[in-house]
Amino acid sequence: MRKTFERLEKQIDQILFQIHKPKNVYINHDLSEILDRLDIPELSKDAVFSIYTAMTHLDRISYYKYERDAILIGDLYSAHYYNLIAQIQSTQFQKLISDALIHMNALKSHLQHNYQQISQTELLETIIQVELCLIEALIDIYQLNDERATIRQAVINQIKLEQLTYLNFFTEEEISKVIQTLHSKYHYNGVV
């Protein structure tokens, strides 16, 4: 059985077979491993990983001021996500993942517009919510409630700088400090 990131990479390579694949796409191998451990259909894993990769890539474009052409690769991952959810043919999956994406974007927007007024605790809790949105949707869709705490802890433990470029109001050094604080302060206690 292939890992989620390998399946997505192969799918994207097939789409881009005549085009040079950009090297600035961040592939979150830790998230792929978390998805691989879930007892859910591979298409669902691939869809969530594809849209996560698209969202992260688009955040990184803003943060690192990549060339405009980089937007197209983010759009490709996003379009691939829609292709995968069409294959899944589950209105519940589509609705809950769409709701999670809307919530994730609202939280990111809140951070970007209010970062000067929010406390460090609110900042950290909002980051955790952003990072858990898609996984929480999968937990709800596939009723993985018994595994919820373990899955949440795994997601929190794997948060890295490359994922948090939606904090474009911070430098990399500041984001690294936020991550250190997050990891030391939030030993997952069952409440998020």
Side-chain angles (χ1 to χ4, degrees), residues 38-112:
L38 301 181
D39 187 21
I40 65 175
E42 286 184 353
L43 272 178
S44 298
K45 295 175 189 181
D46 295 350
V48 166
F49 199 64
S50 186
I51 195 62
Y52 174 87
T53 303
M55 302 280 289
T56 303
H57 183 69
L58 293 172
D59 289 336
R60 290 169 55 81
I61 288 169
S62 280
Y63 191 84
Y64 293 114
K65 309 216 182 331
Y66 290 146
E67 295 176 15
R68 245 182 93 133
D69 290 348
I71 293 171
L72 297 176
I73 194 72
D75 290 344
L76 175 70
Y77 278 93
S78 182
H80 187 62
Y81 157 75
Y82 288 106
N83 182 33
L84 291 169
I85 64 168
Q87 293 175 52
I88 293 169
Q89 297 182 357
S90 166
T91 55
Q92 180 195 24
F93 183 91
Q94 292 175 10
K95 173 149 181 31
L96 291 179
I97 296 295
S98 293
D99 289 348
L101 290 168
I102 290 167
H103 186 60
M104 179 189 302
N105 284 327
L107 291 168
K108 288 178 182 181
S109 181
H110 170 71
L111 286 173
Q112 290 178 1

Side-chain angles (χ1 to χ4, degrees), residues 144-156:
L144 303 173
N145 295 320
D146 294 343
E147 302 172 58
R148 187 179 300 268
T150 304
I151 296 167
R152 284 178 168 175
Q153 185 61 54
V155 171
I156 292 168

Side-chain angles (χ1 to χ4, degrees), residues 1 16-17 23 45 54 74 109 111 115-116 125 152 176:
M1 177 183 346
L16 295 177
F17 71 95
K23 297 193 184 319
K45 295 175 189 181
S109 181
L111 286 173
Y115 72 93
Q116 294 175 324
E125 289 174 0
R152 284 178 168 175
S176 293

Side-chain angles (χ1 to χ4, degrees), residues 9-38:
E9 192 171 75
K10 183 178 179 186
Q11 293 163 7
I12 295 300
D13 286 346
Q14 287 174 345
I15 294 168
L16 295 177
F17 71 95
Q18 293 181 335
I19 302 171
H20 177 67
K21 185 176 171 188
K23 297 193 184 319
N24 58 9
V25 175
Y26 172 65
I27 302 297
N28 186 336
H29 292 91
D30 294 327
L31 179 61
S32 173
E33 287 179 22
I34 292 168
L35 291 169
D36 291 340
R37 289 186 293 221
L38 301 181

